[in-house]
Amino acid sequence: MDLATKPARTAGTTEADTTGAAGPGSLRGTAGAAVSMTLIGTLMAVSAVIGDYPVFTGQALRYGLAALILLPLVLRSPVRPRGLREWSLLTALAATGLAGFNYCLVEASRSADPATVGAVVGATPAVMAIVAPLAARRRPSGRILAAGLVVAAGAVLANGPGGDGDLRGTLFSLGALAGEVLFTLLAVPLLPRLGPLRVSAYSVALAVPLLAAAGLVAGERPRLPSPAEGAGFLYLGVVITALAFLVWFDALGRLGPDRAVLFAGLVPVSAAGTGLLLGLGTPSPLQLAGCLLVALGLTCGVKLRERRSTLGAARSRVL
């Protein structure tokens, strides 16, 4: 069974079966979640390069490039989205988690500084620790919530000092937070049958016309990217979108949404590290403290999974 058809979770599978840290699937999920969020954090390395390019047109170009890479890998397969439900979920994923997220992020940045926006979006792990279990009709785990709060607090600190913003910026930041949550939640019911490759391919393809339309409404004038901008969009499309999305959706199916999203705290950590490597600035002591908090929260979340897996395996042997 390949990556495209690997089931994320079946109805009769218990949490201990799918999220044990000792198993190879969970180790792969943990590594995948860490890698994907670290890659997304390197976005700051190209943001300055493409800063003068029309925003929505550039995002449409980014997702279009990813679609050109991923769609040929799935179109020849007999397994495709079917029925109104799956197409609706994929369209909603593209509209909220991709196009909507980017729109809210752009609008928020016009009224609030990046650190303020990052602080709001950085609350994703704590929000998902509550929302994901409720969406699955189970009680939120107090320990996972605690780990999510620690990661979220670390992400806020790692973003650096903020505070410049108004109500409009806050509302659009909350919209970006909602898009980040829906990016994960809407993928969960699609993964068991379609797999991470198909979810990635179809969602990025559906996002292209939505972002192109947003660019037209905003009055953007498309133009050919400069060589530097072209290199930036190539990195965005291939690494941060096609590769990172594929690895993320694979990890999501192996870890579950509430635990996988803990790794979103690595985004500002990776951004700070990228800035240091590129000579764009040295992290402040507060940012370093935030990185340590993220590491602590992730460690607690992974250790909790490890303990539950061991208890579940022992219980199954007794029974």
Side-chain angles (χ1 to χ4, degrees):
M1 185 177 294
D2 62 16
L3 186 64
T5 57
K6 181 76 174 178
R9 182 176 299 190
T10 57
T13 304
T14 64
E15 185 178 47
D17 293 327
T18 59
T19 62
S26 181
L27 289 174
R28 173 173 164 174
T30 299
V35 168
S36 61
M37 291 297 107
T38 300
L39 288 175
I40 291 174
T42 64
L43 177 64
M44 73 165 295
V46 295
S47 60
V49 176
I50 62 173
D52 294 331
Y53 196 84
V55 176
F56 295 112
T57 305
Q59 292 300 318
L61 182 61
R62 163 195 176 181
Y63 289 120
L65 179 58
L68 288 176
I69 296 170
L70 296 174
L71 280 178
L73 302 178
V74 302
L75 289 179
R76 293 184 179 181
S77 169
V79 180
R80 295 185 181 182
R82 65 188 181 194
L84 180 61
R85 178 177 179 272
E86 288 187 348
W87 280 111
S88 296
L89 285 171
L90 282 168
T91 303
L93 172 60
T96 59
L98 302 184
F101 172 80
N102 281 282
Y103 171 75
C104 288
L105 211 58
V106 169
E107 292 298 324
S109 66
R110 292 175 177 172
S111 302
D113 61 23
T116 300
V117 179
V120 175
V121 178
T124 302
V127 173
M128 283 296 297
I130 299 172
V131 174
L134 292 178
R137 298 182 179 180
R138 55 185 172 86
R139 182 179 299 177
S141 164
R143 294 185 181 183
I144 291 296
L145 176 57
L149 289 170
V150 172
V151 171
V156 169
L157 293 178
N159 270 293
D164 294 333
D166 54 17
L167 178 60
R168 182 179 183 276
T170 301
L171 290 176
F172 274 109
S173 297
L174 290 172
L177 171 62
E180 185 79 0
V181 170
L182 290 170
F183 174 70
T184 295
L185 285 184
L186 291 171
V188 171
L190 294 165
L191 288 170
R193 196 184 74 84
L194 295 179
L197 179 56
R198 292 180 184 86
V199 173
S200 300
Y202 288 109
S203 62
V204 297
L206 288 168
V208 174
L210 296 173
L211 286 162
L216 289 175
V217 172
E220 292 183 352
R221 296 181 179 180
R223 61 174 175 82
L224 287 175
S226 68
E229 290 171 337
F233 283 121
L234 184 65
Y235 181 79
L236 276 174
V238 176
V239 178
I240 296 184
T241 305
L243 176 59
F245 280 25
L246 179 58
V247 175
W248 169 250
F249 286 134
D250 180 58
L252 178 60
R254 296 174 186 277
L255 300 180
D258 46 348
R259 292 179 174 86
V261 174
L262 289 175
F263 289 85
L266 290 176
V267 172
V269 175
S270 174
T274 303
L276 180 62
L277 290 174
L278 295 178
L280 300 178
T282 303
S284 67
L286 202 61
Q287 288 176 298
L288 291 176
C291 295
L292 291 176
L293 273 180
V294 169
L296 175 62
L298 287 174
T299 301
C300 292
V302 171
K303 289 297 182 183
L304 173 61
R305 289 164 38 72
E306 200 171 280
R307 180 183 176 188
R308 286 187 172 181
S309 174
T310 303
L311 291 174
R315 190 177 297 118
S316 65
R317 285 194 295 269
V318 171
L319 295 176

